[in-house]
Amino acid sequence: MNKKISIIGSGFSSLAAASYMAKAGYEVTVFEKNNTFGGRASQYLTQGFTFDMGPTWYWMPDVFEKFFADFGKKPSDYYQLERLDPAYQVYFGENDSITIPGNFEEICQIFEQEEKGSSKHLRKFIKAAKDNYDIAVKDIVYRPGVSPLELVTPKTAVRVGQFFSTIRKEVRKNIKSQKLIQILEFPVLFLGAKPSNTPAFYNFMNYADFGLGTWHPKGGMYKVVEGMVTLAEQLGVNFVSNANVEEIVLDASNKVEAIIINGKRLETNLVLSGADYAHTETLLPKAVRQYSTNYWNKRVFAPSSLLFYVGFDKKLKNVEHHTLFFDTDFDVHAESIYDTITWPEKPLFYASFPSITDGALAPEGKEAATFLIPLAPGLEDTPELREKYFNIIMERLEQLTGQDVKENIIFKESYCVNDFIKDYNSFKGNAYGLANILTQTAFLRPKIKSKKVKNLYFTGQLTVPGPGVPPSLISGKIASDLILKTSLS
């Protein structure tokens, strides 16, 4: 029986797949090019501050619970969770914000205060979203994207219209307040596409938001990475850092037989890549690459990001753990990402202040903050542009929240397109993979199993089910299930 499996990259999908494969009895080694594990979910430590450099939102806790339960464990065996209340705050202008509570009944009250009668429509909308969540997350998203028939079930058949309508149309049917509309359209941004291009079926993300809530792992999201690494090691997975995979070696029948790491050849029976899909195929001879550069250039990618990790020498006012700044036109910003491919003139941005919830993430009396501006992948990325946009959002932060902060900055570190390329070999420096639009859903996404190379598989946000941390966990399970069925049985 073929036993040796090599996994490229150590993001969430790779970590999940590693555990499943080890549990099935295979010899699994994870090779990570960087010096820490977790892929984009890395951690930045400086001057007593702790920052999650990648994901900062913990949504869909049931997906994490299901993952750990597959190994007879619970998330609480590895990290502690706190449900955030408030969940987040949204600024629409100066002294104009809505704070979303941590429970649904209070959210309904907030909606009713903003627009009389809207809570009735919200309840109906979230009920439909829950129904879709139960269909999608408990069934459909665990399918491997091999055939369009995977989407055809008695429950999806009666919802076929939702795949041809959009989130934008559904949200705006009964809600008139632009503020409430923006709040309801916000969750699909995690899917990497505009609400006007996202199928209405994906309103299940609204149930993830209002129904399942927003959570914080004590110590930050990197605690989830550490927990998954610990689980994998308990199952016998071997982890190797600073291990840059330079080539996937094939035999005469185009079957994987080895990988070249830092110039050294290592025999293997199978390769599963959680690294960037396009980059992974450059490790192969051109004749057996499935997708050309032209193919990738024609895909609709989820955004890249300009990120800042900032330490303040005081506690900030009038912000929550998660704070969204939607005081400029979302559609204009979205055009710069998906249509004109330019730097936005008036960017929306997101800020995370985790030290509000978790005092261990910053020295006493100080604040840790992460700021994120969504950008088109492939943009010019220079120190001058980064500084320009940092000043833009700091001025907006001061104006909107009514406080001075620029003079209280101890340090800042930035991260953008060039860094995503350098650290993760990310195509055009994208941060979140492929957008979940109709033409890139399920079986229309890049395949998990290579069609040209035997025993080569892919996992992660460029395959099924798509971008985000919970989908990445699911992708790892899908890939491992497919491997066990088709290659190693």
Side-chain angles (χ1 to χ4, degrees):
M1 181 183 290
N2 295 332
K3 297 285 283 187
K4 192 173 291 186
I5 298 174
S6 299
I7 297 181
I8 304 174
S10 64
F12 283 110
S13 59
S14 293
L15 295 177
S19 290
Y20 285 113
M21 300 306 300
K23 180 187 176 185
Y26 297 95
E27 181 184 338
V28 182
T29 303
V30 175
F31 297 99
E32 168 58 53
K33 74 182 283 284
N34 297 305
N35 61 9
T36 60
F37 304 111
R40 285 168 168 80
S42 56
Q43 188 181 59
Y44 176 48
L45 304 171
T46 185
Q47 300 182 42
F49 291 82
T50 299
F51 300 90
D52 286 311
M53 296 190 72
T56 56
W57 293 78
Y58 192 105
W59 270 12
M60 301 166 68
D62 54 318
V63 174
F64 295 86
E65 291 165 4
K66 179 176 173 56
F67 168 74
F68 283 105
D70 285 343
F71 304 94
K73 301 290 185 179
K74 305 184 296 294
S76 59
D77 293 329
Y78 298 95
Y79 54 89
Q80 302 304 310
L81 286 174
E82 176 182 351
R83 184 163 182 164
L84 296 183
D85 189 4
Y88 54 90
Q89 182 179 17
V90 186
Y91 270 94
F92 301 98
E94 192 171 347
N95 298 316
D96 182 10
S97 70
I98 291 178
T99 299
I100 299 300
N103 72 79
F104 184 60
E105 287 305 316
E106 290 184 22
I107 293 171
C108 288
Q109 293 173 23
I110 294 290
F111 268 60
E112 195 65 23
Q113 290 169 14
E114 176 64 26
E115 179 182 330
K116 189 171 179 58
S118 63
S119 63
K120 174 185 175 182
H121 300 303
L122 177 64
R123 290 180 189 278
K124 184 177 179 181
F125 181 77
I126 295 301
K127 182 183 184 303
K130 182 183 184 303
D131 291 342
N132 285 349
Y133 188 93
D134 289 341
I135 295 167
V137 178
K138 296 179 180 178
D139 183 12
I140 299 297
V141 297
Y142 284 91
R143 301 186 182 191
V146 174
S147 164
L149 295 178
E150 293 172 8
L151 297 177
V152 182
T153 71
K155 291 181 178 179
T156 58
V158 299
R159 289 170 167 79
V160 67
Q162 294 186 29
F163 288 94
F164 296 96
S165 183
T166 67
I167 288 288
R168 170 149 292 190
K169 288 179 181 177
E170 293 303 310
V171 164
R172 294 168 185 243
K173 278 183 177 178
N174 297 302
I175 304 292
K176 305 303 178 188
S177 163
Q178 285 301 309
K179 295 177 187 177
L180 299 184
I181 286 170
Q182 283 190 281
I183 289 170
L184 287 173
E185 290 182 346
F186 147 67
V188 301
L189 299 182
F190 286 102
L191 301 173
K194 294 189 289 187
S196 58
N197 281 347
T198 304
F201 182 75
Y202 284 98
N203 71 350
F204 61 74
M205 291 299 294
N206 292 101
Y207 176 69
D209 179 2
F210 287 176
L212 298 175
T214 303
W215 300 76
H216 171 70
K218 188 175 181 181
M221 284 292 290
Y222 198 70
K223 291 297 180 184
V224 183
V225 171
E226 291 177 338
M228 292 183 69
V229 170
T230 298
L231 170 63
E233 289 176 333
Q234 290 169 340
L235 292 164
V237 176
N238 183 39
F239 285 87
V240 183
S241 59
N242 299 305
N244 185 38
V245 178
E246 299 161 341
E247 184 182 348
I248 299 172
V249 182
L250 311 180
D251 66 12
S253 66
N254 290 330
K255 182 178 180 180
V256 169
E257 69 175 17
I259 52 177
I260 306 295
I261 297 180
N262 300 336
K264 182 180 178 182
R265 178 187 171 104
L266 296 174
E267 303 295 322
T268 190
N269 301 122
L270 182 144
V271 167
L272 171 63
S273 179
D276 181 89
Y277 204 125
H279 168 74
T280 301
E281 290 213 309
T282 68
L283 307 178
L284 299 165
K286 283 189 177 180
V288 292
R289 297 174 189 174
Q290 302 170 96
Y291 306 109
S292 65
T293 301
N294 188 47
Y295 167 87
W296 292 111
N297 280 327
K298 290 182 177 180
R299 298 308 94 188
V300 177
F301 275 85
S304 186
S305 299
L306 170 56
L307 292 136
F308 296 99
Y309 311 101
V310 184
F312 292 96
D313 67 6
K314 68 175 184 179
K315 303 299 289 184
L316 271 59
K317 302 181 298 182
N318 304 326
V319 291
E320 298 294 345
H321 182 131
H322 296 297
T323 306
L324 301 158
F325 294 86
F326 284 179
D327 55 307
T328 62
D329 192 316
F330 170 79
D331 288 336
V332 173
H333 187 143
E335 284 176 13
S336 74
I337 296 174
Y338 297 103
D339 303 321
T340 60
I341 319 299
T342 55
W343 282 82
E345 287 188 21
K346 297 179 179 179
L348 285 76
F349 66 99
Y350 154 70
S352 172
F353 305 96
S355 48
I356 289 175
T357 301
D358 192 341
L361 301 181
E364 187 175 355
K366 300 178 181 179
E367 204 83 89
T370 298
F371 298 91
L372 182 153
I373 301 174
L375 299 173
L379 288 181
E380 178 188 21
D381 172 14
T382 67
E384 293 76 17
L385 281 165
R386 295 188 189 196
E387 190 66 19
K388 172 186 173 181
Y389 279 84
F390 182 73
N391 289 329
I392 287 173
I393 63 174
M394 285 302 104
E395 288 174 6
R396 295 248 302 281
L397 176 67
E398 289 189 330
Q399 178 184 359
L400 294 169
T401 65
Q403 62 188 315
D404 295 328
V405 300
K406 285 186 283 188
E407 297 303 316
N408 299 98
I409 295 172
I410 304 170
F411 64 85
K412 72 174 187 294
E413 188 69 37
S414 65
Y415 200 94
C416 198
V417 171
N418 292 346
D419 299 298
F420 283 105
I421 294 171
K422 175 177 65 73
D423 291 344
Y424 308 119
N425 297 310
S426 170
F427 188 80
K428 290 186 176 180
N430 81 84
Y432 305 108
L434 288 177
N436 258 334
I437 59 177
L438 183 61
T439 54
Q440 294 179 173
T441 293
F443 65 97
L444 297 174
R445 297 180 74 83
K447 301 304 181 187
I448 283 180
K449 185 179 187 294
S450 174
K451 295 174 286 187
K452 296 185 176 183
V453 177
K454 298 173 187 175
N455 285 1
L456 174 61
Y457 292 76
F458 300 84
T459 188
Q461 55 193 10
L462 289 168
T463 61
V464 290
V469 177
S472 291
L473 293 184
I474 294 168
S475 182
K477 177 169 176 53
I478 292 171
S480 60
D481 285 348
L482 196 59
I483 289 168
L484 293 171
K485 287 177 182 176
T486 60
S487 290
L488 298 175
S489 56

